[in-house]
Amino acid sequence: MARLLKIAKLTAKNPQLAAYKARITVRNGFTAKYDYYLRKGYASAPGCICIKLTNACNLRCKMCGQPREGHKEGDAKYAPVEFFQQTVSVDDYKAMVDEVQRYKPNIYLWGGEPFMYKDIIELIGHIKRRGMTAQVNTNGLYTRKYAKEIVEAGLDDIIVSIDGPPEVHDSVRGLKGTFNMLEKGIQALHEEKKRQGKKKPIIRVRGTVSPYNFEHIYSLIDISKRFGADSLNFNWTWFFTKETGVAYQRLMKKLFDIDAVSWVPYQEDVIMNDERRRQFEGIRRELLRIKNNGADIPITMSPNINPDQVEAYYTDIHETFGNDRCFSVWVKSYVLPNGDVTPCPDYPDFIAGNILQDKFMDIWNGEKYIKWRLELKKRKLFPSCYRCCDLFLSDVAVV
């Protein structure tokens, strides 16, 4: 009953977003499976389109596998300068939004750091004028600067990443003072919502469970309350082992004749030793505390891993905790900063088309996308799927 009351309280703050969440839950649980089993690679209109506005970022987070500025050629996270300068004009994004508005997908904006895209506020406003929900996933360092515009534009949901107390967060993010900047940004949002008499955006804290903060993840409950957040979500670190990375690379070459090397920065081959066991036991203890929490905000975990499954998550990459098929590519899609459309978020080796050349919906059920879905269905999972966030699309639970 307490969990239902928390969810009801959150629903009242943004009924439109809650309606989308209900609709996507049905889509994940039923419609996507109908498409998967019966439609031969075709999919109903997407429930969510995720636009990666920029590859650029103002932080160097330790657990992040995305390419980052400042790395030398040959380093796993290296990319040329042009990669970080890629951009799609706001008019082209607006055209895509206009094209899909009849289907009312959620538009999820991310990066890099999405607020480094200069026209993000204009894009949010356009999405809202077209009657769709808009979410932003941000490190929060620009929130104070844009607080007034964010509230005015009608953003539904802002997701801010926090790793723990100030010293932990700053260490993981690679820049001193980031926690303080983030806190001031959230305070500015609250002040603007009050000044403008609005309940949006919903403010969500997201914490990534990693070796860098494993002793402090429970502290995110108190931090979320201190920030006045509406909910708290825990995600797990996504990673590859060398074995699965090589297998993925070979399979992509065989099936699609592409050089799939995006996995390399995410490689993590766990070597069991006393320090690793200490980390796993620390995470287990923190999870037990979280599952017995008395917080008055919804707390979710994705995937919903039990405390006794922590070691298996990191040491047995083939263990997917009951998630033996990926339905995500029947539900959502990703648009990259150069306009490319891909089924996969962090491993965008396969490109199905480009919104600067073709209509999004033509790409969505185009020949390439259908082939990807059918090849995936034949194998249930690709080697890249085992520790991908989208595999656990439906495995989100309130704890």
Side-chain angles (χ1 to χ4, degrees), residues 10 46 59 88 105 107 123 127 139 149 177 208 240 261 279 285:
L10 186 59
L59 294 179
V88 172
I107 306 295
L123 179 57
I127 293 166
N139 62 36
E149 290 87 347
T208 299
F240 269 89
V261 296
Q279 291 175 356
R285 287 196 304 268

Side-chain angles (χ1 to χ4, degrees), residues 358-375:
D358 297 292
K359 296 291 187 182
F360 174 84
M361 292 304 296
D362 291 340
I363 299 170
W364 174 247
N365 273 322
E367 182 180 347
K368 288 185 176 181
Y369 230 125
I370 288 172
K371 182 178 180 181
W372 175 271
R373 294 187 186 112
L374 290 176
E375 294 292 350

Side-chain angles (χ1 to χ4, degrees), residues 315-336:
T315 60
D316 184 3
I317 198 168
H318 296 281
E319 173 57 71
T320 56
F321 310 99
N323 300 277
D324 62 349
R325 290 174 174 81
C326 177
F327 299 104
S328 174
V329 296
W330 278 262
V331 176
K332 63 196 296 190
S333 189
Y334 294 83
V335 181
L336 302 179

Side-chain angles (χ1 to χ4, degrees), residues 39-51:
R39 297 198 66 202
K40 298 180 180 180
Y42 286 87
S44 303
C48 182
I49 300 175
C50 307
I51 302 176

Side-chain angles (χ1 to χ4, degrees), residues 97-116:
V97 168
D98 291 345
E99 179 198 351
V100 301
Q101 66 172 316
R102 60 181 290 194
Y103 307 110
K104 294 292 185 286
N106 176 62
I107 306 295
Y108 180 93
L109 307 176
W110 66 302
E113 170 45 50
F115 281 101
M116 293 181 73

Side-chain angles (χ1 to χ4, degrees), residues 168-336:
V168 175
H169 182 80
D170 290 1
S171 174
V172 173
R173 298 283 146 173
L175 181 66
K176 189 173 182 180
T178 54
F179 185 96
N180 183 52
M181 293 171 67
L182 171 59
E183 184 170 19
K184 288 181 178 178
I186 298 301
Q187 289 173 348
L189 270 182
H190 283 302
E191 290 168 3
E192 277 298 328
K193 287 164 67 175
K194 184 177 181 180
R195 188 182 70 82
Q196 297 184 33
K198 295 183 179 180
K199 296 181 179 180
K200 299 188 298 184
I202 295 293
I203 299 171
R204 283 198 286 158
V205 168
R206 175 169 291 168
T208 299
V209 180
S210 77
Y212 308 106
N213 70 342
F214 70 95
E215 294 176 307
H216 304 278
I217 56 177
Y218 184 83
S219 68
L220 286 174
I221 295 177
D222 288 335
I223 291 169
S224 299
K225 291 161 64 176
R226 165 180 161 184
F227 281 16
D230 297 294
S231 69
L232 167 62
N233 168 248
F234 289 100
N235 274 357
W236 293 77
T237 310
W238 319 124
F239 64 94
F240 269 89
T241 63
K242 185 175 182 180
E243 177 189 9
T244 54
V246 170
Y248 163 69
Q249 194 168 344
R250 288 174 178 168
L251 184 62
M252 293 300 103
K253 188 68 177 177
K254 177 183 176 181
L255 296 179
F256 306 109
D257 194 28
I258 56 177
D259 296 317
V261 296
S262 63
W263 67 273
V264 176
Y266 294 87
Q267 182 181 340
E268 175 66 29
D269 289 281
V270 173
I271 299 173
M272 285 300 295
N273 53 31
D274 290 343
E275 174 58 21
R276 281 294 190 182
R277 289 189 176 88
R278 186 179 77 86
Q279 291 175 356
F280 295 156
E281 178 58 25
I283 294 172
R284 192 187 72 82
R285 287 196 304 268
E286 292 287 275
L287 288 187
L288 284 170
R289 295 181 67 196
I290 290 168
K291 288 182 179 292
N292 293 308
N293 79 87
D296 59 355
I297 61 172
I299 301 175
T300 57
M301 187 155 299
S302 174
N304 184 31
I305 293 175
N306 294 322
D308 60 357
Q309 296 174 316
V310 171
E311 185 171 327
Y313 181 84
Y314 288 103
T315 60
D316 184 3
I317 198 168
H318 296 281
E319 173 57 71
T320 56
F321 310 99
N323 300 277
D324 62 349
R325 290 174 174 81
C326 177
F327 299 104
S328 174
V329 296
W330 278 262
V331 176
K332 63 196 296 190
S333 189
Y334 294 83
V335 181
L336 302 179

